[in-house]
């Protein structure tokens, strides 16, 4: 196991280097110029001299290759993601301030998806072709068909029109008031976890049906093992391996959904920070957010691979 982990961690290095290069170049392909935005916002004449001075002050007068290696060098030797071009504040501090908010929203959405999706998927497989199975499958299709941003907008607009109530938009940190914070995060987490729970349910049902047709399941039932014990201890454990893989694959999808939910419900997380940075063409903030998300996704998938050995003893790391 130790050798396997070392090999996987070393294999992550070229992946992260390639990801950082893609992010750094792609960000600069966004239409619009930060220099024009700054000149217009400060009422400075957009003459050639003003542009050259501003580019030199921001370090944007260097070739893109030079800017990239300077950025990577700051990460490796200083642990810095640079400074915001607008606020002149360290990007790392801003991300660390907002990361727990997005992490909390993502974890809550993931819990909702697993708590709802796995039990319903198991029930749907056990009760195959019954009314309950049809109802649960219809629920999954409906959850996938309704976009989260549309439901979030409805939740923000219609309750305020009909009942004079709307979700709290003044964010309360968890340390300040845990109960109020969880109550505020509950609605966006439910909406964000809705589609993921539907996908989890369908995959759990499919894998359970496949596992329950295996010979060792029929043998366990024929020997008199209780159906509940057979399903939970034998069938479900093997059926969860693809579901765990799905969790790793859905990590970037959850972040993408978090960007939308944070915008709708005014949650000051990394998603809202990213949207603000994109609108201002704040390159260091954009690249910093994407790099942190990329690192998180890579390590989540590593943890998913390591969890296979816990679910299936036949898995060996060589």
């Amino acid at each position: 196991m130790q050798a396997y982990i070392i090999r996987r961690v070393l294999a992550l290095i070229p992946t992260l280097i390639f990801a950082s290069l893609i992010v750094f170049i792609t960000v600069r392909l966004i239409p619009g110029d930060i220099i024009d935005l700054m000149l217009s916002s400060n009422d400075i004449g957009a003459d050639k001299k003003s542009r050259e001075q501003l580019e030199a002050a921001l370090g944007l007068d260097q070739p893109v290759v030079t800017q990239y290696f300077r950025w990577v060098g700051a990460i490796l030797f200083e642990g810095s993601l640079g400074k915001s071009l607008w606020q002149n504040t360290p990007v790392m501090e801003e991300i660390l301030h907002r990361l727990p908010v997005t992490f909390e929203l993502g974890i809550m959405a993931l819990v909702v998806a697993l708590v709802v999706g796995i039990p319903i998927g198991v029930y749907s497989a056990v009760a195959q072709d019954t009314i309950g199975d049809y109802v649960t499958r219809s629920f999954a299709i409906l959850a996938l068909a309704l976009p989260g941003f549309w439901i979030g907008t409805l939740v923000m607009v219609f309750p305020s029109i009909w009942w004079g109530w709307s979700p709290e938009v003044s964010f309360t940190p968890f340390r300040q008031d845990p109960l109020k914070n969880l109550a505020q995060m509950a609605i966006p987490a439910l909406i964000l976890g809705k589609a993921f729970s539907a996908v989890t349910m369908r995959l759990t049902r499919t894998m359970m049906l496949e596992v329950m047709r295996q010979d060792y399941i029929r043998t366990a039932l024929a020997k008199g093992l209780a159906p509940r014990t057979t399903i939970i201890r034998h069938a479900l454990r093997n059926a969860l391996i693809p579901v765990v893989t799905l969790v790793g694959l859905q990590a970037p999808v959850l972040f993408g959904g978090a960007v939308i939910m944070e915008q709708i419900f005014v949650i000051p997380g990394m998603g809202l920070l990213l949207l603000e940075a994109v609108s201002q063409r704040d390159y260091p903030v954009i690249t910093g957010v994407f790099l942190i998300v990329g690192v998180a996704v890579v390590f989540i998938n590593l943890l998913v691979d390591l969890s296979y050995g816990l679910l299936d003893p036949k898995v060996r790391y060589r």
Side-chain angles (χ1 to χ4, degrees):
M1 175 69 78
Q2 184 176 2
Y4 174 79
I5 295 176
I6 293 175
R7 289 198 305 269
R8 285 300 307 271
V9 171
L10 292 177
L12 296 181
I13 296 176
T15 302
L16 293 176
I17 292 175
F18 183 72
S20 68
L21 183 62
I22 293 297
V23 168
F24 193 87
I25 295 176
T26 305
V27 164
R28 280 154 177 76
L29 297 178
I30 299 176
D33 188 353
I34 185 174
I35 303 298
D36 292 334
L37 291 176
M38 287 186 169
L39 292 175
S40 61
S41 64
N42 292 307
D43 295 328
I44 301 176
D47 56 87
K48 183 178 180 180
K49 184 177 180 180
S50 298
R51 291 185 62 88
E52 290 177 350
Q53 291 175 344
L54 191 53
E55 287 177 352
L58 298 177
L60 299 178
D61 57 333
Q62 301 293 325
V64 175
V65 176
T66 303
Q67 295 180 40
Y68 172 75
F69 283 108
R70 187 175 58 190
W71 177 64
V72 172
I75 295 175
L76 296 178
F77 300 110
E78 302 175 12
S80 171
L81 292 174
K83 291 186 177 182
S84 169
L85 299 181
W86 285 88
Q87 308 298 331
N88 198 32
T89 55
V91 175
M92 183 64 76
E93 290 185 6
E94 191 67 29
I95 291 178
L96 292 178
H97 177 70
R98 305 225 187 182
L99 181 60
V101 180
T102 301
F103 182 76
E104 179 188 358
L105 179 60
I107 289 297
M108 291 180 65
L110 182 61
V111 169
V112 169
L114 297 181
V115 169
V116 173
I118 292 178
I120 294 180
V122 173
Y123 167 77
S124 182
V126 174
Q128 183 184 12
D129 295 332
T130 64
I131 295 179
D133 181 28
Y134 293 132
V135 170
T136 54
R137 282 191 285 171
S138 300
F139 164 77
I141 295 174
L142 181 64
L144 287 172
L146 297 178
F149 70 87
W150 180 72
I151 297 178
T153 304
L154 294 183
V155 171
M156 288 294 292
V157 174
F158 284 105
S160 62
I161 296 176
W162 294 337
W163 306 300
W165 175 89
S166 62
E168 182 67 43
V169 295
S170 178
F171 183 74
T172 302
F174 183 82
R175 293 183 178 180
Q176 180 178 334
D177 190 340
L179 293 179
K180 188 175 181 180
N181 172 269
L182 293 175
Q184 184 177 1
M185 300 286 275
I187 295 178
L190 286 171
I191 298 175
L192 184 57
K194 165 191 64 65
F196 188 23
S197 67
V199 176
T200 304
M201 189 275 285
R202 294 299 299 266
L203 182 60
T204 302
R205 178 184 183 275
T206 300
M207 297 310 303
M208 282 293 296
L209 289 175
E210 181 179 338
V211 171
M212 290 173 65
R213 295 190 180 102
Q214 299 297 319
D215 291 338
Y216 69 91
I217 297 295
R218 288 196 291 265
T219 302
L221 294 173
K223 292 173 64 176
L225 192 64
R228 181 186 297 270
T229 303
T230 304
I231 292 172
I232 296 177
R233 293 185 57 184
H234 300 282
L236 179 59
R237 188 171 182 178
N238 289 312
L240 281 181
I241 293 180
V243 178
V244 172
T245 303
L246 179 67
V247 172
L249 296 176
Q250 289 293 320
V253 178
L254 284 177
F255 175 76
V259 173
I260 299 174
M261 291 299 108
E262 289 176 7
Q263 173 72 6
I264 294 175
F265 292 93
V266 197
I267 299 174
M270 289 180 60
L272 197 58
L273 174 65
L274 178 61
L275 289 176
E276 295 171 353
V278 170
S279 65
Q280 296 177 337
R281 306 301 186 271
D282 200 339
Y283 302 136
V285 176
I286 300 173
T287 52
V289 170
F290 275 117
L291 182 64
I292 295 298
V293 172
V295 171
V297 169
V298 167
F299 277 97
I300 287 174
N301 281 277
L302 174 61
L303 293 176
V304 167
D305 290 344
L306 296 178
S307 68
Y308 294 158
L310 300 176
L311 293 172
D312 188 354
K314 293 182 295 183
V315 176
R316 294 293 181 265
Y317 301 103
R318 295 185 175 90

